[in-house]
Amino acid sequence: MMNSSSAVTSSAFAPLPHFTRPTFLMCPPEFYDVDYVINPWMAGNLHRPSRDTAFMQWKNLYRQLQRVADVRLLHAREGSPDMVFVAHAAVVQHGLAAVSSFAHPQRQTEEGHLRKWLQDAGFLLWETPRETSFEGEGDALFDANGGHLWAAHGVRTCQHSHRHLGDAWHTRVTSLHLVDPRFYHLDLCFAPLSGGYLMYFPGAFDAASLEKIHAAYAADKRIVVSELEATQFGCNVINVGRDVLMGAVETDLAKRLMERGFDVTEMPLGEFQRGGGSAKSLALRLSDSVQALGDLRIDSAV
């Protein structure tokens, strides 16, 4: 294992995982429930999710993702009901995995299980100090080209972790400040998409963060979601090439994405929204993000 101060060891020269297709990791909801309240979506939903319904919704997402990507599985563990939100547990790029350091003790039990899976799969680990809270792809997302890392702070992830992440991949990190507790993770309000597009909810960010976003994405590349769409988890999507997998949203958001060249599949994921996540939270990307571009052909003038 590696950390920010460790030297490169012989393990760094071992073969790293190689993927010929976009590849994701998912964890079945065998023990999923809302057992505690650590985000606003959980409030009022204690023990309300139906495990049978949750499993049907998860299985549908799993099958839809299998159409466009390879999917690996992490075994669920009793006592870790939120393991199903596996994307919160790490960020992966170029065979290196930055493992999360969860802010809440209720989720810290997940870290060891994912760490072992990643080690067994051949990934190098970039350990996050316990005192530096960081919650994986929940708060750190590479753009579609894999060359720019967006990272959030203000609710769950500590801003000090952003430099730690930049050191892991020697890449530029843009820090964004989340100001609305409903959007406690970046992936609830910010989704870099193939073709240079971005889907985001402006109300989740402070003014300085919006300036950074607008400087990086031209107006015709920005897909602004409404507060209603954001609270229905409209930004929490899986994007593989032209395919977008998302929970059902009661607006024309899917139509707006299709007008920009995306193939959109909406599906019910309400049982997981009770726990504070949707499609994106349920799948951790393992392959390099640039691989997800596939054969996407989107007219930039659309």
Side-chain angles (χ1 to χ4, degrees):
M1 291 183 285
M2 303 171 63
N3 57 45
S4 55
S5 60
S6 65
V8 175
T9 66
S10 59
S11 63
F13 300 99
L16 296 175
H18 175 70
F19 303 102
T20 58
R21 297 184 70 209
T23 304
F24 293 81
L25 181 68
M26 295 184 68
C27 179
E30 185 176 353
F31 302 104
Y32 170 64
D33 199 355
V34 178
D35 287 347
Y36 38 75
V37 176
I38 59 173
N39 68 59
W41 306 101
M42 289 177 156
N45 280 312
L46 282 173
H47 307 299
R48 288 188 63 189
S50 162
R51 194 164 293 167
D52 289 342
T53 304
F55 199 90
M56 286 189 294
Q57 293 180 353
W58 180 91
K59 195 170 184 179
N60 185 31
L61 175 64
Y62 172 75
R63 287 172 173 169
Q64 293 294 340
L65 185 54
Q66 281 187 309
R67 289 190 299 106
V68 297
D70 290 335
V71 183
R72 312 289 175 85
L73 290 177
L74 172 69
H75 290 299
R77 304 285 180 161
E78 191 170 6
S80 297
D82 279 340
M83 272 186 73
V84 69
F85 299 123
V86 67
H88 299 165
V91 173
V92 180
Q93 184 81 329
H94 303 322
L96 179 68
V99 180
S100 294
S101 175
F102 281 108
H104 292 95
Q106 292 93 332
R107 297 206 63 181
Q108 291 172 6
T109 58
E110 302 171 33
E111 297 166 14
H113 301 309
L114 182 62
R115 184 179 291 110
K116 183 179 187 308
W117 190 95
L118 291 166
Q119 281 183 306
D120 290 346
F123 289 90
L124 295 177
L125 300 188
W126 185 262
E127 296 288 353
T128 304
R130 168 54 60 203
E131 64 274 11
T132 305
S133 58
F134 156 63
E135 302 204 350
E137 283 190 325
D139 273 334
L141 296 166
F142 280 95
D143 65 11
N145 292 321
H148 184 183
L149 186 61
W150 296 89
H153 65 95
V155 181
R156 289 283 193 91
T157 291
C158 171
Q159 188 173 10
H160 294 301
S161 70
H162 297 179
R163 181 171 182 178
H164 177 75
L165 292 172
D167 289 344
W169 290 282
H170 304 287
T171 193
R172 181 166 60 98
V173 180
T174 299
S175 296
L176 303 175
H177 186 199
L178 299 177
V179 295
D180 187 327
R182 295 174 299 175
F183 307 104
Y184 67 99
H185 274 158
L186 183 64
D187 68 358
L188 296 178
C189 52
F190 184 94
L193 303 175
S194 298
Y197 286 97
L198 172 74
M199 184 163 57
Y200 75 119
F201 171 55
F205 303 95
D206 66 6
S209 298
L210 287 176
E211 288 183 8
K212 297 175 186 177
I213 293 170
H214 295 164
Y217 290 92
D220 64 339
K221 291 292 188 177
R222 301 195 299 260
I223 303 169
V224 177
V225 306
S226 67
E227 182 175 11
L228 172 62
E229 291 165 341
T231 56
Q232 292 184 355
F233 295 77
C235 289
N236 196 248
V237 305
I238 301 172
N239 174 219
V240 182
R242 68 168 62 250
D243 288 281
V244 172
L245 308 181
M246 60 188 293
V249 175
E250 299 172 358
T251 70
D252 67 346
L253 180 57
K255 180 175 180 287
R256 302 200 315 266
L257 286 166
M258 288 188 283
E259 288 172 347
R260 289 166 171 82
F262 292 97
D263 293 328
V264 181
T265 302
E266 288 186 279
M267 65 200 78
L269 291 169
E271 295 306 300
F272 300 105
Q273 293 172 7
R274 296 178 189 271
S278 192
K280 177 67 202 80
S281 304
L282 297 169
L284 171 66
R285 181 182 52 76
L286 298 176
S287 55
D288 290 351
S289 57
V290 70
Q291 285 185 281
L293 288 169
D295 295 324
L296 182 69
R297 296 292 182 269
I298 293 180
D299 185 352
S300 61
V302 172

